[in-house]
Amino acid sequence: MNIFLYELKSNRKSTLIWTLALISLMILFMSMFPSISKEIDEFKKLLEGFPEGVRKALGIQIESIGSLNGYYSYFFLYITLCGAIQAMNLAISISSKEIREKTADFLLTKPVTRTRILSSKVLAALVSLIFTNIVYVVSAVIVANLVKEEAFSLNIFLLISTTLLITQFIMFALGMIIAVVWSRVKSVLTLSLGIVFAFFIIGMVAATEEAGRYFTPFKYFDYTYIINHAAYEWSFLVVGMTIIAVALVFSFIIYNKKDIHTV
């Protein structure tokens, strides 16, 4: 069977589960918006009781939290966290599968190059992530229109939502290079959770320092900036794209040259 189609089929179940999980989390938070918007003054007073450092770490912007996009940007951080785990888990899984399942000798003896093997796996994984994002964004737009109290900017809403896909691509690329370097992975989920939460914690610590934002993909997109300017910060976008390109290129180089053990 074509490697791409095989990988796509193998990822089908986990992709559906992650997609439904992201949508369910979004619906849970969105369902609270009508109640919060009616008592927004009390809610803002509650948030004002938090130290400024805590508010920055959690991405809370009191000025805009009363609007749908402001509220959406507040809880979207946790949507992104779950999506990052999905991407990291997928990257490590496809890169270390043959060694973990001891099927490398079967696959690598076939008349197909390592580049084609890995590119087929990567393409299948990226298609899975794109599918997740398309279904999520469509669902989010529908739910947003159901719970809105007043008109909101769909453009800004989509810009915020698209950061999920970009962050997933970054985490996927980082997961790929980690997996090809350290291929003897005993527990994919444990390693994925550890790496993603490490970046997440760094993001919370780095929230108060502009330079610190470059060390974690979770801070490459400032939702307040997106809401105010309807655009991304180009410096962080360029860094993110560079990480994706460099990590994937080095993943292919290392994968093609490394000794892959079958036992």
Side-chain angles (χ1 to χ4, degrees):
M1 182 185 293
N2 182 282
I3 298 174
F4 168 75
L5 295 178
Y6 176 80
E7 290 295 328
L8 205 59
K9 184 177 179 180
S10 299
N11 299 332
R12 180 177 56 189
K13 183 177 179 180
S14 64
T15 300
L16 290 174
I17 291 174
W18 278 107
T19 303
L20 292 175
L22 293 178
I23 293 174
S24 298
L25 188 60
M26 177 270 297
I27 292 175
L28 175 63
F29 278 106
M30 278 294 201
S31 64
M32 302 177 189
F33 180 70
S35 298
I36 291 176
S37 62
K38 291 177 182 178
E39 301 180 5
I40 190 61
D41 291 334
E42 289 77 5
F43 189 59
K44 285 183 177 180
K45 288 180 181 178
L46 175 65
L47 296 177
E48 286 173 354
F50 289 26
E52 184 179 355
V54 174
R55 293 202 302 267
K56 286 185 177 181
L58 297 177
I60 300 174
Q61 295 296 327
I62 297 178
E63 298 79 11
S64 61
I65 194 102
S67 66
L68 189 140
N69 279 331
Y71 176 73
Y72 182 60
S73 68
Y74 158 63
F75 74 76
F76 194 74
L77 175 64
Y78 305 102
I79 299 289
T80 305
L81 173 62
C82 293
I85 295 173
Q86 176 195 9
M88 182 65 68
N89 189 72
L90 191 57
I92 295 176
S93 176
I94 65 170
S95 302
S96 62
K97 180 188 299 183
E98 279 69 44
I99 294 178
R100 285 184 291 106
E101 298 179 359
K102 296 181 173 60
T103 59
D105 54 344
F106 172 79
L107 181 62
L108 296 178
T109 53
K110 298 296 180 181
V112 58
T113 64
R114 289 193 182 189
T115 298
R116 182 180 174 186
I117 292 173
L118 191 58
S119 60
S120 297
K121 287 172 171 285
V122 170
L123 183 58
L126 295 183
V127 168
S128 297
L129 293 177
I130 292 172
F131 170 83
T132 293
N133 278 266
I134 291 175
V135 176
Y136 170 81
V137 171
V138 171
S139 302
V141 171
I142 293 173
V143 174
N145 279 283
L146 291 175
V147 304
K148 68 179 181 180
E149 297 292 321
E150 56 186 28
F152 68 97
S153 172
L154 180 61
N155 179 46
I156 291 176
F157 188 89
L158 293 176
L159 283 172
I160 294 172
S161 299
T162 304
T163 64
L164 171 63
L165 180 61
I166 301 174
T167 303
Q168 283 188 312
F169 279 178
I170 295 172
M171 299 303 286
F172 177 83
L174 292 174
M176 283 290 299
I177 197 165
I178 290 171
V180 296
V181 171
W182 183 21
S183 53
R184 289 187 176 275
V185 179
K186 294 183 179 179
S187 175
V188 174
L189 184 58
T190 301
L191 180 59
S192 301
L193 288 172
I195 296 171
V196 171
F197 275 108
F199 278 118
F200 188 74
I201 293 172
I202 292 172
M204 297 182 72
V205 174
T208 57
E209 297 292 338
E210 184 72 13
R213 292 175 56 196
Y214 287 98
F215 293 98
T216 172
F218 287 109
K219 290 300 178 181
Y220 285 2
F221 301 100
D222 184 340
Y223 300 131
T224 301
Y225 183 92
I226 295 174
I227 292 173
N228 292 335
H229 299 85
Y232 300 136
E233 295 174 273
W234 280 103
S235 59
F236 289 97
L237 190 61
V238 169
V239 170
M241 296 300 104
T242 302
I243 289 174
I244 293 172
V246 172
L248 288 179
V249 168
F250 274 94
S251 295
F252 275 89
I253 293 174
I254 295 171
Y255 186 80
N256 278 315
K257 292 185 177 181
K258 71 179 297 184
D259 292 327
I260 298 180
H261 303 285
T262 59
V263 294

